[in-house]
Amino acid sequence: RKEVEQDPGPFNVPEGATVAFNCTYSNSASQSFFWYRQDCRKEPKLLMSVYSSGNEDGRFTAQLNRASQYISLLIRDSKLSDSATYLCVVTSGGNTDKLIFGTGTRLQVFP
Amino acid sequence: DAGITQSPRYKITETGRQVTLMCHQTWSHSYMFWYRQDLGHGLRLIYYSAAADITDKGEVPDGYVVSRSKTENFPLTLESATRSQTSVYFCASSESILAGGPRDEQFFGPGTRLTVL
């Protein structure tokens, strides 16, 4: 089983739609969680950190469910510019934490 | 105000040759990382460094060597390139890795696309 699993998509949605991605992780010791965004052939960039209480940044909402070991990302009112690959990232747990990246979920927003 | 840069951006080499990929950051971040990204695998950590002269292996270190004599530089060397090392290589840096919150954010360089023939 992969440490971090994501549905690769693509998710094809019209502008204005709401879309949600889930990501599951296998290590219950993981402490920090992130969503990164990666545009085609570009470097990943942090979209948002995911906190236990959940957090919202404009049109983006991230949730963490420790009991079921998954995190989610909700995008409301999708824009064409949201088209990208969204990477779920968790720390490996323990004293030598490293980031473990999922393979990403591709989102394509169409007019 | 470059942030984090990588060179070269593109490299074609032959099997058996030594190749060095350069990474330079201007933020004085303590931590630096090398990842490779391949289809179906996501980003995989090769090596990382917590400070100058401190390096540690990641998930896929075989065939790679790193050094960090200065805080701002973290070169990655392929001692004898193989075709399986054809990939996109990303360097990243961060203030910390265990602090939690924004200090753990990793900033990535633009990547080096390496082809080994």
Side-chain angles (χ1 to χ4, degrees), chain A residues 49-68:
Chain A
S49 300
V50 187
Y51 304 122
S52 296
S53 56
N55 48 305
E56 186 174 314
D57 182 3
R59 297 182 294 109
F60 299 84
T61 301
Q63 297 280 352
L64 167 63
N65 185 318
R66 285 190 184 273
S68 301

Side-chain angles (χ1 to χ4, degrees), chain B residues 13-71:
Chain B
T13 191
E14 294 177 339
T15 302
R17 293 198 181 249
Q18 184 180 82
V19 178
T20 296
L21 309 184
M22 304 302 293
C23 179
H24 175 80
Q25 53 108 353
T26 60
W27 295 303
S28 298
H29 282 167
S30 296
Y31 287 85
M32 295 187 75
F33 310 83
W34 274 107
Y35 295 91
R36 58 179 291 173
Q37 187 172 36
D38 307 286
L39 281 174
H41 287 283
L43 281 154
R44 291 182 291 174
L45 182 65
I46 304 171
Y47 270 95
Y48 71 105
S49 168
D53 298 321
I54 301 175
T55 62
D56 207 349
K57 295 179 180 178
E59 181 185 353
V60 289
D62 293 343
Y64 303 95
V65 174
V66 293
S67 62
R68 195 165 176 208
S69 57
K70 292 184 178 181
T71 299

Side-chain angles (χ1 to χ4, degrees), chain B residues 35 42 90 104 111:
Chain B
Y35 295 91
F90 287 102
D104 288 350

Side-chain angles (χ1 to χ4, degrees), chain A residues 9-48:
Chain A
F11 285 62
N12 295 305
V13 303
E15 275 187 290
T18 295
V19 61
F21 310 135
N22 282 338
C23 162
T24 59
Y25 61 95
S26 61
N27 190 343
S28 60
S30 295
Q31 292 294 327
S32 298
F33 309 87
F34 310 90
W35 282 102
Y36 275 71
R37 171 192 168 129
Q38 186 173 25
D39 293 296
C40 187
R41 302 174 79 86
K42 296 286 187 68
E43 70 274 22
K45 293 183 180 179
L46 181 69
L47 178 66
M48 57 197 309

